[in-house]
Amino acid sequence: MGLGAILFSIGVIGVLIKRNPIVIFMCIELMLNAVNLSFLALGRHFGQMNGQMYVIFTMAVAAAEVAIGLGIIVAVFRTRETINIDEVNLLKL
């Protein structure tokens, strides 16, 4: 549980500090993997299989998140020619 909390904290700090969307995606993946680790630890601690079921569901959500997120990043890069969060403002054309 402690390792999961540390990894989740590192992911949150990365999302808040970094300006590159690809690095932000990696930090979100780190947070999802920290949650997976916590689910597995809790499932093992209580002797139930529910933790593994939640991990599989979280992995499916993470795969969908990456596919959609990378598609958005590629679309933004094609229209704006930059992926810097500070320079991209989708409300202005």
Side-chain angles (χ1 to χ4, degrees), residues 17-22 24 73 76-77 80-90:
I17 291 175
K18 297 297 181 181
R19 295 280 131 222
N20 188 340
I22 295 174
I24 292 173
I73 289 173
V76 167
F77 183 74
R80 305 288 179 150
E81 296 182 359
T82 183
I83 57 171
N84 190 353
I85 296 291
D86 292 331
E87 296 176 9
V88 175
N89 186 350
L90 294 178

Side-chain angles (χ1 to χ4, degrees), residues 7-8 11 25-39 55 58-59 61-63 65-66:
L7 290 176
F8 191 84
F25 270 124
M26 289 191 307
C27 291
I28 291 172
E29 290 295 322
L30 184 62
M31 288 190 294
L32 288 172
N33 285 327
V35 170
N36 286 343
L37 186 62
S38 298
F39 279 142
V55 167
T58 305
M59 288 172 63
V61 170
E65 174 253 336
V66 166

